[in-house]
Amino acid sequence: MNDKRFYITTPIYYPSGKLHIGHAYSTVATDAMARYKRLCGYDVMFLTGTDEHGQKIESKAKEAGVTPQEFVDNIVAAPGGVLDLWKLMNISYDRFIRTTDDYHVESIQKIFRAMYDKGDIYKGAYKGKYCTPCESFWTESQLVDGKCPDCGREVHDAEEEAYFFRASKYAGRVRDLLLNTGFLEPRSRVNEMVNNFIDCEGGLQDLCVSRTSFTWGVPVDFDPGHVVYVWLDALFNYMTALGYQNDKYNDLERFWPADAHFVGKEIVRFHAIYWPAFLMSMELPLPKKVYGHGLLNFNGDKMSKSKGNVVDPHLLSERYGVDALRFFLLRSFPFGSDGNFTNELLIQTINNDLANDLGNLVSRTTAMAEKYFGGRLPEARQENPELDGSLTSLVSGLRGRYEEQMEKFQFQNALEDIFKVIQRANKYIDENAPWALAKDMDVNGPRLAAVLYNLLEAVRICTVLLTPFMPESCEKIFAQIGAEETARTWDSAAQWGVLPAAVSVTKGENLFPRIDMAKELAELDAIQEEAKKAALPAVEIEPLSQEQVDFDTFCKSDFRAVKVKDCQNVKKSDKLLKFTLDDGTGTDRQILSGIAKWYKPEELIGKTLVAIVNLPPRKMMGQESQGMLISAVHTERGEERLHLLMVDGAIPAGAKLC
Ligand code: MSP
């Protein structure tokens, strides 16, 4: 059996809504790492999944009028859901766990009981704020302006019986783990964790690990009414998915402890403090590394559904191809730091790196091999150490440089090393001017063959190393340059001259078409605008007035049915319409109304409307308005809407409305 093993995980996604590009970032990075390790010959276990319990899911399901299980099933397994997205994005996970899977639920119950039996979980009271209408507990920090974050109403102090985990007991060991080992990376996150959560006033606090105010969770089997806190439930997925405390799988011995947990920086706290403390309590080996990657922002702003700025990975994959998107995510942002996603950067990266550099190199090389040699290089080649050395020496050290960066999860640097070679190879074409050599094939044929062979070898080695990032495109490149299986391996990436001397080349499709930046940006902006609108409330109405009006005052307002005899636009005004109305008195009444945005004059002639007729007359654009037409107003997806109040034509002009 292969004794090189590697276990890597992504955070399991919380299926409360649609996945955006930020979620895809964690998973694409983990996938690239898993593929890299497989390329290096490791037996890899790549775990991902979904974290499906908790109060938020319960209340979202309620809003949607479905059971929580139906709600999560719909996001995880329905068409266009999480599983579909990972398939689309070529995520090569070996196992997918859902925390609602029976085996996981049973394992969590056993773990909870074991911690309780050991005395590391004890019963106490959870003090917090309570919103009675919502029946929800909140912590001080969850409140918005001191009020319930869900409904905005007053909250009050309350206590809920709860179980607590003795995190404080493990504070010293966790502190030591963080400060004195390489457990958490990047190192910059270590001090933040230690200072904020362990060396803070009061030290590391015990953690509330059960709740009674909602039911969507793993039930505590020895105390009905309690469900296990979602983070305890979720974190142990990394072990239950290998068979810890269950018979479903039997991979613990082979794969635990994990080699790396990739997690976004906002959940480092759970992975770097509570997770090792839970494992210490269960006397289990600790994972080797937690890597807290940065978050992607959009145009400098946090991605959030309510801001309507979440970037949809389905849409981008469709427009640019999955590989281009995967590549962009890992090429453009240093993994450990936050990154600013912009549409310009995306298109620029695709155009510069993929279309200009890589795409051009592959298409020029294969096109010349076809044009000058009918696709098959002659074996007679004439090397020129002076001219070839700068390319071959750069290529020969590439695998080592790449490996060093990949082992540190520095995907951006690894790609940078590859692209230095690609750029050098493009320059090598210009320096050697194959088109000039081709003018006299009798003399220069062997030299031309050497130039093209060197280029193919450079492309091959770069392509082997790019495979973890762009698996499908690399397959296509291999096919174009005639690289068989043996020329696609990790070992072959450190060897020059693996392609056969008489290699067969076929120019294929253009792998990375150039994108017209201006046109594309305009289209993306339009899509973005639509998304923003869609994120706004469907219908917004003005809050009801809190001020009361006494009956007599109300009765003074004289509302009448009025029939439109004529209606015209008012010159020099794009807002006003001028109405000539029959109000039943026999004398025409003129009213001006700022509704030209919503109605054309001819639509209104003959209609019966409602007007208040005893307002003092006022002048608008030099013309008198004798009253006001009544309309209904509301906001729809951020846009103001207006409807004139129209009444049945059977109501005679002048009828009083009360
Ligand atoms: N369910 C927890 C994880 C439990 S792991 C035992 C969770 N889920 S999540 O759906 O909210 O987030 C999943 C991953 O996506 C996390 O690593 C999170 O950091 C990452 N991202 C969410 N938004 C992100 C960005 N805008 N940018 C980069 N990563 C982001 O947390």
Side-chain angles (χ1 to χ4, degrees), residues 606-649:
K607 298 272 191 282
T608 305
L609 310 176
V610 175
I612 174 164
V613 293
N614 61 340
L615 288 175
R618 60 185 276 223
K619 286 235 162 139
M620 297 160 98
M621 300 291 284
Q623 307 205 41
E624 187 170 276
S625 182
Q626 302 157 329
M628 198 176 91
L629 293 170
I630 305 300
S631 45
V633 284
H634 74 277
T635 309
E636 208 169 298
R637 303 241 180 261
E639 251 179 66
E640 203 186 351
R641 297 287 161 115
L642 178 142
H643 297 270
L644 277 171
L645 207 62
M646 293 190 194
V647 294
D648 192 328

Side-chain angles (χ1 to χ4, degrees), residues 421-457:
V421 171
I422 292 172
Q423 283 151 11
R424 188 67 196 78
N426 272 319
K427 198 164 162 214
Y428 177 82
I429 299 183
D430 301 336
E431 287 166 356
N432 286 281
W435 45 90
L437 294 172
K439 284 190 183 138
D440 190 348
M441 288 298 271
D442 290 343
V443 177
N444 298 325
R447 176 62 195 146
L448 182 55
V451 168
L452 291 180
Y453 185 86
N454 291 340
L455 286 167
L456 289 171
E457 271 296 282

Side-chain angles (χ1 to χ4, degrees), residues 11-14 20 22-23 25-26 51 231 234-235 237-238 263-267 271 293-297 303:
I12 48 173
Y13 171 65
Y14 197 70
H20 59 63
H23 301 115
Y25 183 57
S26 288
D51 170 11
W231 272 101
L235 284 162
N237 91 91
Y238 300 134
V263 304
K265 71 171 186 189
E266 88 284 21
I267 57 171
H271 285 83
H293 67 73
L295 299 185
L296 296 188
N297 300 315
M303 266 185 220

